[in-house]
Amino acid sequence: MVRLNEIRRGERAVDPPEGFDASLHFIGCIRTPWTSRLETPRQGRLDGPTCRLELEAPWDEGLLGIEEFERLEVLYWLHESRRDLVHQSPGNDGEARGVFSLRTPVRPNPIGTSIVQLVKIEGPVLFVRGLDCLDGTPLLDVKPDRTLFEPLAPAQAGDFQVGDP
Ligand code: SAM
């Protein structure tokens, strides 16, 4: 059941610290068919509807070369989420889990990620399939899907140890 800001039985909210450790630039906006969290899929599907990643200047210049990749990783800011629930009950049954053991949108830093299929590019707009966010969700980042990359060299035991300079 999708939450709309209520606190359920077994859940725990905390007072977040004042201030922030970092700031972000929204690089654009995501356009999807969904205007309510109740109707938005819990996870995107590569055969889902085509959505648009609309990049704003000057960040659209960063799309140079992106047409080489059939799949992308998209990061977005789940802007309608509350951020204070450390224990959550996805089933609304009194059973709670910690936020970091869930893919819930309700997180201290409500960052969502999806692997999407690149359908086409028109100027500063990427048409993609595989999203699960509301229309108007702020866009944080776009990268080639990490599974498209081979490691440069096989890791060797003893290559690196924590504490090495
Ligand atoms: N795929 C992402 C992930 O795993 O990081 C997000 C998964 S999250 C379970 C997807 C849900 O977040 C949607 O079903 C919807 O209820 C909610 N959601 C989508 N867009 C949102 C937004 N802009 N603000 C708050 N909640 C949102």
Coordinates of all heavy atoms in Angstrom, one line a residue, residues 110-162:
P110 N 15.9 11.4 -0.2 CA 15.0 10.6 -1.0 C 15.4 10.6 -2.5 O 14.8 11.2 -3.4 CB 13.6 11.3 -0.9 CG 14.0 12.7 -0.5 CD 15.3 12.7 0.2
I111 N 16.5 9.8 -2.7 CA 17.0 9.6 -4.1 C 16.5 8.3 -4.6 O 16.6 7.3 -4.0 CB 18.5 9.6 -4.0 CG1 19.1 11.0 -3.6 CG2 19.1 9.2 -5.4 CD1 20.6 11.0 -3.4
G112 N 15.8 8.4 -5.8 CA 15.4 7.2 -6.5 C 16.3 6.9 -7.7 O 16.9 7.8 -8.2
T113 N 16.5 5.6 -8.0 CA 17.3 5.2 -9.1 C 16.5 4.2 -10.0 O 15.8 3.4 -9.4 CB 18.6 4.5 -8.7 OG1 18.3 3.3 -8.1 CG2 19.4 5.4 -7.7
S114 N 16.7 4.3 -11.3 CA 16.1 3.3 -12.2 C 17.1 3.1 -13.3 O 17.8 4.0 -13.8 CB 14.8 3.9 -12.8 OG 13.7 3.9 -11.9
I115 N 17.1 1.8 -13.8 CA 17.7 1.5 -15.1 C 16.7 1.7 -16.2 O 15.6 1.1 -16.1 CB 18.3 0.1 -15.1 CG1 19.3 -0.1 -13.9 CG2 18.9 -0.3 -16.4 CD1 20.6 0.7 -14.0
V116 N 17.0 2.5 -17.2 CA 16.0 2.7 -18.2 C 16.6 2.4 -19.6 O 17.8 2.4 -19.8 CB 15.6 4.2 -18.2 CG1 15.0 4.6 -16.9 CG2 16.7 5.2 -18.6
Q117 N 15.7 2.1 -20.5 CA 16.1 1.9 -21.9 C 16.0 3.2 -22.7 O 15.0 3.9 -22.6 CB 15.0 0.9 -22.5 CG 15.4 0.4 -23.9 CD 16.3 -0.8 -23.8 OE1 16.2 -1.6 -22.8 NE2 17.2 -0.9 -24.7
L118 N 17.1 3.6 -23.4 CA 17.1 4.8 -24.2 C 16.3 4.6 -25.5 O 16.7 3.7 -26.3 CB 18.5 5.3 -24.4 CG 18.7 6.5 -25.2 CD1 17.9 7.7 -24.6 CD2 20.1 6.9 -25.4
V119 N 15.2 5.3 -25.7 CA 14.4 5.1 -26.9 C 14.9 6.0 -28.0 O 15.1 5.6 -29.1 CB 12.9 5.3 -26.6 CG1 12.1 5.2 -27.8 CG2 12.4 4.4 -25.5
K120 N 15.0 7.3 -27.7 CA 15.5 8.3 -28.7 C 15.9 9.6 -28.0 O 15.6 9.8 -26.8 CB 14.4 8.6 -29.8 CG 13.2 9.3 -29.3 CD 12.3 9.6 -30.4 CE 11.0 10.2 -29.9 NZ 10.1 10.8 -30.9
I121 N 16.6 10.4 -28.7 CA 17.1 11.7 -28.2 C 16.6 12.8 -29.1 O 16.7 12.7 -30.3 CB 18.6 11.7 -28.1 CG1 19.1 10.5 -27.4 CG2 19.1 13.0 -27.5 CD1 20.7 10.4 -27.5
E122 N 16.0 13.8 -28.6 CA 15.6 15.0 -29.4 C 16.1 16.2 -28.6 O 15.5 16.7 -27.6 CB 14.1 15.1 -29.5 CG 13.5 14.1 -30.5 CD 12.0 14.2 -30.7 OE1 11.4 15.1 -30.1 OE2 11.4 13.4 -31.4
G123 N 17.3 16.7 -29.1 CA 17.9 17.9 -28.4 C 18.2 17.6 -27.0 O 18.9 16.6 -26.7
P124 N 17.6 18.4 -26.1 CA 17.9 18.2 -24.6 C 17.0 17.2 -24.0 O 17.0 17.1 -22.7 CB 17.7 19.6 -24.1 CG 16.6 20.2 -24.9 CD 16.8 19.6 -26.3
V125 N 16.2 16.5 -24.8 CA 15.3 15.5 -24.2 C 15.6 14.1 -24.5 O 15.8 13.7 -25.7 CB 13.8 15.9 -24.7 CG1 12.8 14.9 -24.0 CG2 13.5 17.3 -24.4
L126 N 15.7 13.3 -23.4 CA 15.9 11.8 -23.6 C 14.6 11.1 -23.4 O 13.9 11.4 -22.4 CB 16.9 11.3 -22.6 CG 18.3 11.9 -22.5 CD1 19.1 11.2 -21.4 CD2 19.0 11.7 -23.9
F127 N 14.2 10.3 -24.4 CA 13.0 9.5 -24.3 C 13.4 8.1 -23.7 O 14.2 7.5 -24.4 CB 12.3 9.4 -25.6 CG 11.7 10.7 -26.1 CD1 12.5 11.7 -26.6 CD2 10.3 10.9 -26.0 CE1 12.0 12.9 -27.0 CE2 9.8 12.1 -26.5 CZ 10.6 13.1 -26.9
V128 N 12.8 7.7 -22.6 CA 13.3 6.5 -22.0 C 12.1 5.7 -21.5 O 11.0 6.2 -21.2 CB 14.2 6.8 -20.8 CG1 15.4 7.6 -21.2 CG2 13.5 7.5 -19.7
R129 N 12.3 4.4 -21.3 CA 11.4 3.5 -20.7 C 12.0 2.9 -19.4 O 13.2 2.5 -19.4 CB 11.0 2.3 -21.6 CG 10.2 2.6 -22.8 CD 10.0 1.3 -23.6 NE 9.4 1.6 -24.9 CZ 8.0 1.6 -25.1 NH1 7.2 1.4 -24.0 NH2 7.6 1.9 -26.2
G130 N 11.2 2.7 -18.3 CA 11.7 2.0 -17.1 C 11.5 2.9 -15.9 O 12.1 2.5 -14.9
L131 N 10.8 4.0 -15.9 CA 10.7 4.9 -14.8 C 9.5 4.5 -13.9 O 8.6 3.9 -14.3 CB 10.7 6.3 -15.2 CG 12.0 6.8 -15.7 CD1 11.9 8.2 -16.3 CD2 13.0 7.0 -14.5
D132 N 9.6 5.1 -12.7 CA 8.5 4.8 -11.7 C 8.3 6.0 -10.8 O 8.1 5.9 -9.6 CB 8.9 3.6 -10.8 CG 10.3 3.8 -10.2 OD1 10.8 5.0 -10.2 OD2 10.8 2.9 -9.6
C133 N 8.4 7.2 -11.4 CA 8.2 8.4 -10.6 C 7.1 9.3 -11.1 O 6.7 9.2 -12.3 CB 9.6 9.2 -10.5 SG 10.2 9.7 -12.1
L134 N 6.7 10.3 -10.3 CA 5.7 11.2 -10.6 C 6.1 12.2 -11.7 O 7.3 12.5 -11.8 CB 5.4 12.1 -9.4 CG 4.7 11.4 -8.2 CD1 4.7 12.3 -7.0 CD2 3.3 11.0 -8.6
D135 N 5.1 12.6 -12.4 CA 5.4 13.7 -13.4 C 5.9 14.9 -12.6 O 5.3 15.3 -11.6 CB 4.0 14.0 -14.1 CG 4.3 15.0 -15.2 OD1 5.2 14.8 -16.0 OD2 3.5 16.0 -15.3
G136 N 7.0 15.5 -13.1 CA 7.5 16.7 -12.5 C 8.6 16.4 -11.5 O 9.1 17.3 -10.8
T137 N 9.0 15.1 -11.3 CA 10.0 14.7 -10.4 C 11.4 15.4 -10.9 O 11.8 15.2 -12.0 CB 10.2 13.2 -10.3 OG1 9.0 12.7 -9.7 CG2 11.4 12.8 -9.5
P138 N 12.1 16.0 -9.9 CA 13.4 16.6 -10.3 C 14.4 15.6 -10.7 O 14.6 14.6 -10.0 CB 13.8 17.4 -9.1 CG 12.5 17.6 -8.3 CD 11.7 16.4 -8.6
L139 N 15.2 15.9 -11.7 CA 16.2 15.0 -12.2 C 17.6 15.3 -11.6 O 18.0 16.5 -11.6 CB 16.3 15.1 -13.8 CG 17.3 14.3 -14.5 CD1 17.1 12.8 -14.3 CD2 17.3 14.6 -16.0
L140 N 18.3 14.3 -11.1 CA 19.6 14.6 -10.4 C 20.7 14.2 -11.3 O 21.8 14.9 -11.3 CB 19.7 13.8 -9.1 CG 18.8 14.1 -8.0 CD1 19.0 13.2 -6.8 CD2 19.1 15.6 -7.5
D141 N 20.7 13.1 -12.0 CA 21.8 12.6 -12.7 C 21.4 11.6 -13.7 O 20.4 10.9 -13.6 CB 22.9 12.0 -11.7 CG 24.3 12.1 -12.3 OD1 24.5 12.5 -13.4 OD2 25.2 11.8 -11.5
V142 N 22.2 11.4 -14.8 CA 22.1 10.4 -15.8 C 23.5 9.8 -16.1 O 24.4 10.6 -16.3 CB 21.5 10.9 -17.1 CG1 21.3 9.8 -18.1 CG2 20.2 11.7 -16.9
K143 N 23.6 8.5 -16.0 CA 24.9 7.8 -16.3 C 24.6 6.6 -17.2 O 23.5 6.0 -17.1 CB 25.6 7.3 -15.1 CG 25.5 8.1 -13.8 CD 26.2 7.5 -12.7 CE 25.9 8.2 -11.4 NZ 26.8 7.8 -10.3
P144 N 25.6 6.1 -17.9 CA 25.5 4.8 -18.6 C 25.3 3.7 -17.5 O 25.8 3.8 -16.4 CB 26.8 4.6 -19.3 CG 27.4 6.0 -19.4 CD 26.9 6.8 -18.2
D145 N 24.4 2.8 -17.8 CA 24.2 1.6 -16.9 C 25.5 1.0 -16.6 O 26.3 0.6 -17.5 CB 23.3 0.6 -17.6 CG 23.1 -0.6 -16.8 OD1 23.5 -0.7 -15.7 OD2 22.4 -1.5 -17.4
R146 N 25.8 0.8 -15.3 CA 27.1 0.3 -14.9 C 27.4 -1.1 -15.4 O 28.5 -1.6 -15.6 CB 27.3 0.3 -13.4 CG 26.6 -0.8 -12.6 CD 26.5 -0.5 -11.2 NE 25.5 0.5 -10.9 CZ 24.7 0.5 -9.9 NH1 24.8 -0.4 -9.0 NH2 23.7 1.4 -9.8
T147 N 26.3 -1.9 -15.7 CA 26.5 -3.3 -16.1 C 27.0 -3.4 -17.5 O 27.4 -4.4 -18.0 CB 25.2 -4.1 -15.9 OG1 24.2 -3.6 -16.8 CG2 24.7 -4.1 -14.5
L148 N 27.0 -2.2 -18.2 CA 27.5 -2.2 -19.6 C 29.1 -2.1 -19.6 O 29.7 -2.2 -20.7 CB 27.0 -1.0 -20.4 CG 25.4 -1.0 -20.6 CD1 25.0 0.3 -21.2 CD2 25.0 -2.2 -21.4
F149 N 29.7 -1.9 -18.5 CA 31.1 -1.7 -18.4 C 31.8 -3.0 -17.9 O 31.3 -3.6 -16.9 CB 31.5 -0.6 -17.5 CG 31.1 0.8 -18.0 CD1 29.8 1.3 -17.8 CD2 31.9 1.5 -18.8 CE1 29.4 2.5 -18.3 CE2 31.6 2.7 -19.3 CZ 30.3 3.2 -19.1
E150 N 32.9 -3.3 -18.5 CA 33.8 -4.4 -18.0 C 34.8 -3.8 -17.0 O 35.2 -2.6 -17.3 CB 34.6 -5.0 -19.1 CG 33.7 -5.7 -20.2 CD 33.2 -7.0 -19.7 OE1 33.8 -7.6 -18.8 OE2 32.1 -7.4 -20.2
P151 N 35.2 -4.5 -16.0 CA 36.3 -4.0 -15.1 C 37.5 -3.8 -16.0 O 37.7 -4.6 -16.9 CB 36.5 -5.0 -14.1 CG 35.3 -6.0 -14.2 CD 34.7 -5.8 -15.5
L152 N 38.3 -2.8 -15.7 CA 39.5 -2.5 -16.5 C 40.5 -3.7 -16.4 O 41.1 -4.1 -17.3 CB 40.2 -1.3 -16.1 CG 39.5 0.0 -16.4 CD1 40.2 1.2 -15.9 CD2 39.3 0.1 -17.9
A153 N 40.6 -4.3 -15.2 CA 41.5 -5.4 -15.0 C 41.0 -6.2 -13.8 O 40.4 -5.6 -12.9 CB 42.9 -4.9 -14.6
P154 N 41.1 -7.5 -13.9 CA 40.6 -8.3 -12.7 C 41.3 -7.9 -11.4 O 42.5 -7.6 -11.4 CB 41.0 -9.7 -13.1 CG 41.6 -9.7 -14.4 CD 41.9 -8.3 -14.8
A155 N 40.4 -7.8 -10.4 CA 41.0 -7.4 -9.1 C 41.9 -8.5 -8.6 O 41.6 -9.7 -8.7 CB 39.9 -7.1 -8.1
Q156 N 43.0 -8.2 -8.0 CA 43.9 -9.2 -7.5 C 43.9 -9.1 -6.0 O 43.9 -8.0 -5.4 CB 45.4 -8.9 -7.9 CG 45.6 -8.8 -9.4 CD 45.8 -10.2 -10.0 OE1 46.3 -11.0 -9.4 NE2 45.3 -10.4 -11.2
A157 N 43.9 -10.2 -5.3 CA 44.0 -10.2 -3.8 C 45.2 -9.4 -3.4 O 46.3 -9.6 -4.0 CB 44.1 -11.6 -3.3
G158 N 45.1 -8.5 -2.5 CA 46.2 -7.7 -2.0 C 46.5 -6.5 -2.9 O 47.4 -5.7 -2.6
D159 N 45.7 -6.2 -3.9 CA 45.8 -5.0 -4.7 C 45.7 -3.7 -3.9 O 46.4 -2.8 -4.1 CB 44.7 -4.9 -5.8 CG 45.2 -5.5 -7.1 OD1 46.4 -6.0 -7.1 OD2 44.5 -5.5 -8.1
F160 N 44.8 -3.8 -3.0 CA 44.4 -2.6 -2.2 C 44.0 -3.0 -0.8 O 43.3 -3.9 -0.7 CB 43.3 -1.8 -2.9 CG 42.8 -0.7 -2.2 CD1 43.4 0.6 -2.2 CD2 41.6 -0.8 -1.4 CE1 42.9 1.6 -1.4 CE2 41.1 0.2 -0.7 CZ 41.7 1.5 -0.7
Q161 N 44.4 -2.2 0.1 CA 43.9 -2.5 1.5 C 43.4 -1.2 2.1 O 44.0 -0.1 1.8 CB 45.0 -3.0 2.4 CG 45.5 -4.4 1.9 CD 46.4 -5.0 2.9 OE1 47.1 -4.3 3.7 NE2 46.5 -6.3 2.9
V162 N 42.3 -1.3 2.9 CA 41.8 -0.1 3.6 C 43.0 0.5 4.3 O 43.7 -0.2 5.0 CB 40.7 -0.5 4.5 CG1 40.2 0.7 5.3 CG2 39.5 -1.1 3.7

